[in-house]
Amino acid sequence: KAQISELETALSKVELAEKLGCTANDLQTHVVPCPVSKLGHIIGKSGSNIKKLEKENGCLIGIDKVKSEIHLQGNEVSIAKAVKEIEGIVLSIEEQYKIDRAVHSVLFAKRMSQFNIIQKNHPNVDFDFSKESLVIKLRGKQEYVDLAKESLSEMNVKMGLESITASGREVAVVVGKSGCTINRLIDTYDVSIEVKASKTKTAGDEDESTITISGYEHQVDGALQEIKNILFQNESIQTSILLSSMTRNKLLANSGELIKVLQKDINTACQPGMSTVRFEDVAKEDRDLPSLLTLTSARMHIDKAESILNERIDAYNSTVITMQIDS
């Protein structure tokens, strides 16, 4: 029985050595004492950290929770590498670092690209933070944690945060169709843009939202200026022309057929849904008097829309024959 047991042990050793890519003679065992408080960090969630250590270092790792020990099997080189990483975890500290809201927004923006860069630059530090908190937990050796804090501190200094209040219509313009405008701004200026509806609204008030831009200061300034320009160019502008009652009646005949065509043609030439044409309300007794036709359009389109309106009105008027009959 003793010989069989020895043979099974030898075969098991050979199989393990083959699995780890070394010879049975090279196979070694090493024990690392570990504080109970650090065992969870070594193991990781569902054993993820142990699996990572085994895969990266080519060794087998076991945990003795009773003795608070870490058992390693592998060749001399693989064990040395694993021990170095384990000691780094055992000797690690955990600190909390508060970041500015602008930094927080940027770290979570664009599929967390900025956060991925920070992680890549500090591979020996574990970062733990969420969308709900401005506090980041940093875990690693003191010197590595200090370097990570320096990087975050530099971001704090360089970051900017700007907010503007916009109506529901203005927000729709900034966001654009299917988010095309806001996504272009985010990509162009490498910023985070967040739109939040106002929580304080009374009955009858127009919907309002806050547009918040965060990122590096010069990029925030660029995005803010373009947003202001977009809002300026899309601001509703009105212009009016005084028309005779005859022209009014012609445009409003047949349920406003001609004025609907006029509005459709203006929107087609400028931008769909951006322009409206309507007469002022007139009392019944004043319907024989001239009345105002008001054109409302975005600033960027008002000149073109007004030109089309005047051309069409002139064309309609040219078909009207005025006759004066002497009594």
Side-chain angles (χ1 to χ4, degrees), residues 163-168 170-171 196 198 207-212 231:
S163 296
I164 56 175
T165 302
S167 66
E170 290 173 327
V171 166
K196 278 190 176 181
S198 175
D207 288 340
E208 279 195 346
S209 297
T210 301
I211 301 173
T212 302
L231 294 178

Side-chain angles (χ1 to χ4, degrees), residues 39 41-44 47-55 59 61-63 70:
L39 283 176
H41 296 159
I42 299 294
I43 296 169
S48 60
N49 213 27
I50 278 187
K51 292 173 184 175
K52 180 171 173 282
L53 288 167
E54 288 180 331
K55 184 177 180 181
C59 61
I61 301 174
I63 303 292
I70 302 167

Side-chain angles (χ1 to χ4, degrees), residues 245-288:
S245 59
M246 187 175 295
T247 303
R248 172 191 168 95
N249 293 337
K250 182 173 183 177
L251 291 173
L252 294 180
N254 299 321
S255 302
E257 180 181 350
L258 286 179
I259 203 166
K260 288 176 183 177
V261 171
L262 174 58
Q263 180 169 291
K264 181 180 178 182
D265 289 347
I266 290 174
N267 277 303
T268 300
C270 298
Q271 186 175 340
M274 294 294 286
S275 303
T276 59
V277 181
R278 60 171 296 171
F279 278 101
E280 64 176 330
D281 293 331
V282 176
K284 189 174 182 180
E285 60 270 20
D286 296 329
R287 288 182 180 175
D288 290 333

Side-chain angles (χ1 to χ4, degrees), residues 10 13-18 22-28:
K13 190 175 181 180
V14 169
E15 288 176 358
L16 179 60
E18 288 180 355
C22 63
T23 66
N25 291 332
D26 290 333
L27 202 61
Q28 298 181 13

Side-chain angles (χ1 to χ4, degrees), residues 3-202:
Q3 288 178 334
I4 292 173
S5 178
E6 286 178 10
L7 182 60
E8 288 177 345
T9 300
L11 286 173
S12 177
K13 190 175 181 180
V14 169
E15 288 176 358
L16 179 60
E18 288 180 355
K19 182 180 177 181
L20 297 177
C22 63
T23 66
N25 291 332
D26 290 333
L27 202 61
Q28 298 181 13
T29 299
H30 188 81
V31 178
V32 179
C34 177
V36 175
S37 61
K38 298 289 184 178
L39 283 176
H41 296 159
I42 299 294
I43 296 169
K45 189 176 181 180
S46 302
S48 60
N49 213 27
I50 278 187
K51 292 173 184 175
K52 180 171 173 282
L53 288 167
E54 288 180 331
K55 184 177 180 181
E56 291 180 351
N57 298 294
C59 61
L60 187 67
I61 301 174
I63 303 292
D64 186 334
K65 292 184 179 180
V66 177
K67 295 182 180 180
S68 192
E69 292 177 341
I70 302 167
H71 295 251
L72 300 97
Q73 288 181 289
N75 61 36
E76 184 178 357
V77 174
S78 65
I79 286 178
K81 285 171 62 182
V83 167
K84 186 178 179 181
E85 285 196 51
I86 289 169
E87 287 178 344
I89 297 171
V90 171
L91 297 173
S92 68
I93 53 94
E94 184 176 291
E95 287 191 16
Q96 293 187 341
Y97 184 80
K98 189 173 182 179
I99 56 176
D100 289 344
R101 186 167 297 280
V103 176
H104 185 272
S105 297
V106 169
L107 290 177
F108 272 101
K110 296 181 71 174
R111 298 175 184 170
M112 301 183 75
S113 59
Q114 286 294 326
F115 175 66
N116 292 334
I117 291 172
I118 291 283
Q119 269 194 322
K120 187 177 179 180
N121 291 339
H122 302 280
N124 298 310
V125 177
D126 290 325
F127 296 82
D128 183 9
F129 74 121
S130 68
K131 282 189 175 181
E132 288 71 39
S133 175
L134 297 179
V135 175
I136 297 181
K137 290 181 182 178
L138 306 171
R139 190 182 303 114
K141 283 188 177 181
Q142 185 70 62
E143 59 265 34
Y144 298 138
V145 169
D146 289 342
L147 289 172
K149 284 163 62 179
E150 279 184 29
S151 294
L152 292 169
S153 179
E154 288 174 4
M155 287 185 74
N156 270 342
V157 171
K158 297 175 182 177
M159 287 293 153
L161 184 74
E162 292 285 353
S163 296
I164 56 175
T165 302
S167 66
R169 176 187 172 279
E170 290 173 327
V171 166
V173 168
V174 172
V175 172
K177 188 176 181 180
S178 302
C180 62
T181 304
I182 197 169
N183 288 333
R184 179 184 61 77
L185 289 167
I186 289 170
D187 291 337
T188 300
Y189 296 97
D190 198 18
V191 293
S192 168
I193 302 178
E194 186 178 19
V195 179
K196 278 190 176 181
S198 175
K199 293 181 180 178
T200 56
K201 181 189 173 187
T202 57

